[in-house]
């Protein structure tokens, strides 16, 4: 076994910006990457809300590295697993030579805080800073041999693959909760006293302002099941977590930074008040909910979660220049209020699914900590990965 020497290179020596185009009609919402649907801190991507109106967009291919070029301090980077299209605010990095650079190694190297701090420091503009492409290409990286790169990638990828498996399991658990909700509270096929589906086995239905509902159920407003409050602006915040600022600062659609206090430490559901609407975030740990959020607590947490996920927020929007939803809009939203026994049964059944969800979530947070602790040590050479000596 032997350790190989590393060499310092500029980014432009080993990669370049891709500028090929792909017709917009050739991609789907799942294939379109913009700065809005890229998640920070190696969080991957979410499905785009819409496609651009332009005829063509920037093309990316499998194994390309995509970086959001707006507000680089949010650290949005993604490793492509397919072909698709990206907005002009997303940079597409391509390796020049597979024998010199492993693209996944480049992804991990550039995902470090040091790179994003550099891009932020050299960015142009103040209100909405953009990375300077020339400065980015001048960024220096320590490059081991391709064999050592591949071994480093293998270690980090094994952790990311376990995280992804847990994410997929949690996605299935969410789908199961949604399916049970629809079966019980939309199709009204909840199990009756004989453990038969209520509606199809002849259960009595009655007229209501929201359509036919089971006899004994009522129409009410969400306020009957929830407590709602507005988030507040923190006294101090940072984009990057550190020892002093480690409490997640929750925005309308995601964690937007970190602070040193919490205003909630219990099961809550957080939705957007100003700006982004339609994303429901679950928390059961210390958070600071920002002033552009609404925070909801309920004895019927799982049922309310499903209701919040099907609300037409566009219909509730009362903002002209910026989307806005008030506490009253949510409180007065009309809903079917089932028999309380079935609400409690749903909480118990779906709550057990989300206990597994929480376990996977906690495991993923630990895996991310391990990965992010190893990452700078592997990339700096502080921890060396042995390479088989050529014969």
């Amino acid at each position: 076994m032997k350790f190989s020497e590393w060499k310092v290179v500029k980014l432009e020596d080993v990669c370049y910006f891709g500028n090929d185009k792909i017709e917009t009609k050739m991609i789907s919402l799942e294939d379109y990457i913009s700065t809005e649907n890229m998640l920070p801190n190696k969080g991957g991507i979410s499905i785009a809300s819409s496609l651009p109106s332009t005829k063509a967009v920037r093309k990316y291919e499998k194994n390309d590295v995509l970086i959001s070029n707006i507000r680089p301090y949010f650290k949005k980077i993604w490793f492509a697993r397919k072909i698709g299209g990206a907005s002009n605010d997303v940079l597409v990095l391509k390796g020049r030579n597979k024998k010199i650079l492993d693209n996944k190694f480049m992804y991990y190297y550039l995902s470090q805080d040091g790179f994003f701090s550099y891009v932020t420091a050299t960015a142009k503009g103040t209100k909405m800073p953009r990375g300077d492409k020339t400065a980015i290409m001048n960024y220096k990286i320590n490059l081991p041999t391709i064999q050592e790169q591949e071994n480093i990638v293998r270690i980090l990828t094994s952790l990311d693959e376990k995280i992804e498996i847990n994410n997929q399991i949690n996605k299935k658990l969410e789908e199961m909760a949604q399916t049970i909700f629809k079966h019980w509270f939309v199709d009204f096929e909840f199990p009756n006293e004989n453990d038969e589906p209520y509606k199809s086995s002849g259960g009595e239905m009655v007229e209501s302002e929201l359509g036919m509902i089971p006899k004994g159920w009522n129409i009410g407003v969400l306020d009957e099941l929830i407590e709602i409050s507005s988030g507040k602006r923190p006294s101090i915040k940072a984009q990057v977590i550190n020892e002093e600022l480690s409490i997640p600062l929750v925005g309308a659609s995601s964690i937007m930074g970190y602070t040193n206090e919490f205003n909630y430490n219990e099961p809550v559901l957080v939705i957007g008040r100003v700006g982004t609407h339609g994303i429901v975030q679950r928390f059961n740990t210390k958070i600071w909910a920002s002033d552009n959020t609404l925070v909801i607590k309920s004895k019927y947490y799982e049922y309310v979660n499903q209701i919040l996920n099907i609300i037409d927020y566009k219909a509730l929007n009362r903002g002209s220049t910026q989307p806005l939803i008030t506490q009253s809009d949510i409180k007065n939203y009309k809903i079917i209020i089932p028999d309380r026994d079935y609400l409690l049964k749903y909480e118990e059944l779906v709550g057990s699914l989300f206990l597994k969800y929480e376990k996977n979530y906690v495991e993923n947070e630990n895996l991310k900590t391990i990965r992010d602790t190893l990452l700078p040590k592997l990339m700096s050479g502080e921890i060396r990965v042995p390479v088989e000596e050529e014969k």
Side-chain angles (χ1 to χ4, degrees):
M1 307 289 285
K2 70 173 184 178
F3 291 119
S4 303
E5 292 300 319
W6 294 35
K7 59 182 179 180
V8 177
V9 300
K10 289 183 178 180
L11 209 52
E12 65 180 357
D13 296 332
V14 291
C15 70
Y16 63 96
F17 292 122
N19 286 307
D20 290 342
K21 298 292 183 180
I22 184 171
E23 291 186 32
T24 306
K25 66 180 181 181
M26 300 298 293
I27 61 174
S28 66
L29 292 174
E30 289 80 6
D31 304 325
Y32 181 63
I33 310 299
S34 70
T35 189
E36 283 80 16
N37 69 315
M38 292 182 75
L39 302 177
N41 299 310
K42 301 180 286 301
I45 58 172
S46 59
I47 296 177
S49 58
S50 62
L51 292 175
S53 58
T54 54
K55 184 178 179 181
V57 293
R58 183 171 287 156
K59 181 181 181 181
Y60 67 82
E61 299 176 294
K62 184 178 181 181
N63 296 331
D64 286 346
V65 177
L66 278 62
I67 300 170
S68 173
N69 202 34
I70 292 180
R71 294 173 175 164
Y73 46 76
F74 284 129
K75 301 185 292 183
K76 294 183 176 182
I77 187 169
W78 183 63
F79 185 74
R81 302 174 183 175
K82 55 186 177 180
I83 295 174
S87 73
N88 287 332
D89 294 322
V90 173
L91 302 177
V92 177
L93 286 171
K94 296 175 173 285
R96 294 187 182 278
N97 189 332
K98 293 180 180 180
K99 295 181 179 180
I100 295 176
L101 176 69
D102 183 302
N103 279 20
K104 193 71 177 285
F105 178 86
M106 175 170 63
Y107 160 75
Y108 282 122
Y109 199 102
L110 299 183
S111 70
Q112 298 179 94
D113 290 347
F115 172 71
F116 286 105
S117 296
Y118 169 84
V119 177
T120 300
T122 57
K124 296 179 178 179
T126 53
K127 186 175 181 180
M128 190 173 287
R130 295 171 182 267
D132 182 286
K133 293 170 74 173
T134 300
I136 290 172
M137 279 300 168
N138 283 327
Y139 186 70
K140 294 179 180 180
I141 64 175
N142 291 317
L143 201 66
T145 64
I146 191 66
Q147 292 87 358
E148 193 165 352
Q149 289 178 51
E150 290 170 349
N151 287 348
I152 290 171
V153 165
R154 207 168 286 121
I155 292 170
L156 297 172
T157 298
S158 66
L159 294 169
D160 275 338
E161 285 176 348
K162 177 55 179 172
I163 292 170
E164 182 59 25
I165 288 171
N166 284 341
N167 285 337
Q168 290 301 317
I169 292 172
N170 281 358
K171 184 179 179 181
K172 292 294 183 184
L173 292 170
E174 287 180 323
E175 290 172 355
M176 289 171 66
Q178 291 166 6
T179 299
I180 297 169
F181 175 85
K182 182 178 183 299
H183 192 62
W184 283 24
F185 304 119
V186 178
D187 300 330
F188 306 120
E189 296 292 15
F190 53 89
N192 62 16
E193 62 273 9
N194 297 319
D195 208 26
E196 298 172 336
Y198 180 85
K199 186 176 179 181
S200 61
S201 62
E204 186 175 354
M205 305 289 289
V206 296
E207 292 261 7
S208 82
E209 59 183 302
L210 294 182
M212 300 296 289
I213 63 173
K215 184 179 180 180
W217 291 22
N218 299 298
I219 302 300
V221 292
L222 201 48
D223 191 39
E224 296 178 49
L225 301 182
I226 68 171
E227 294 177 27
I228 187 168
S229 55
S230 298
K232 297 179 181 180
R233 182 173 297 182
S235 58
I236 185 173
K237 65 178 181 178
Q239 266 78 42
V240 180
I241 190 171
N242 58 54
E243 289 185 5
E244 294 183 2
L245 305 175
S246 60
I247 304 295
L249 172 60
V250 180
S253 61
S254 64
I255 293 172
M256 56 186 292
Y258 298 89
T259 186
N260 61 345
E261 297 179 288
F262 63 91
N263 51 9
Y264 295 93
N265 184 23
E266 58 195 302
V268 294
L269 299 164
V270 181
I271 60 174
R273 184 182 69 83
V274 180
T276 303
H277 293 147
I279 296 176
V280 182
Q281 303 176 77
R282 302 170 60 105
F283 295 99
N284 191 19
T285 55
K286 294 178 181 178
I287 63 165
W288 184 280
S290 71
D291 54 343
N292 59 353
T293 66
L294 294 174
V295 183
I296 295 151
K297 296 185 280 187
S298 176
K299 177 181 178 181
Y300 308 106
Y301 185 92
E302 300 299 347
Y303 183 77
V304 170
N305 177 48
Q306 296 300 326
I307 293 292
L308 293 174
N309 273 293
I310 61 175
I311 288 177
D312 181 1
Y313 291 93
K314 288 183 180 179
L316 297 183
N317 175 36
R318 59 176 65 240
S320 53
T321 57
Q322 189 174 27
L324 171 67
I325 290 176
T326 68
Q327 288 188 32
S328 295
D329 294 327
I330 300 300
K331 286 181 178 181
N332 296 326
Y333 186 80
K334 288 189 176 180
I335 62 169
I336 295 171
I337 300 183
D339 179 282
R340 301 290 169 139
D341 286 343
Y342 283 104
L343 281 175
L344 292 173
K345 286 178 181 178
Y346 183 78
E347 290 303 305
E348 182 179 0
L349 177 58
V350 174
S352 66
L353 297 179
F354 275 95
L355 284 177
K356 298 176 183 176
Y357 181 103
E358 290 291 337
K359 182 179 178 182
N360 290 337
Y361 178 84
V362 170
E363 182 180 14
N364 273 4
E365 291 303 299
N366 291 333
L367 289 170
K368 289 175 185 177
T369 299
I370 294 170
R371 178 198 63 194
D372 293 343
T373 301
L374 279 175
L375 180 60
K377 298 179 184 294
L378 288 168
M379 293 300 168
S380 67
E382 180 181 343
I383 295 178
R384 299 297 298 269
V385 181
V387 176
E388 289 289 343
E389 189 172 354
E390 295 182 4
K391 297 180 179 180

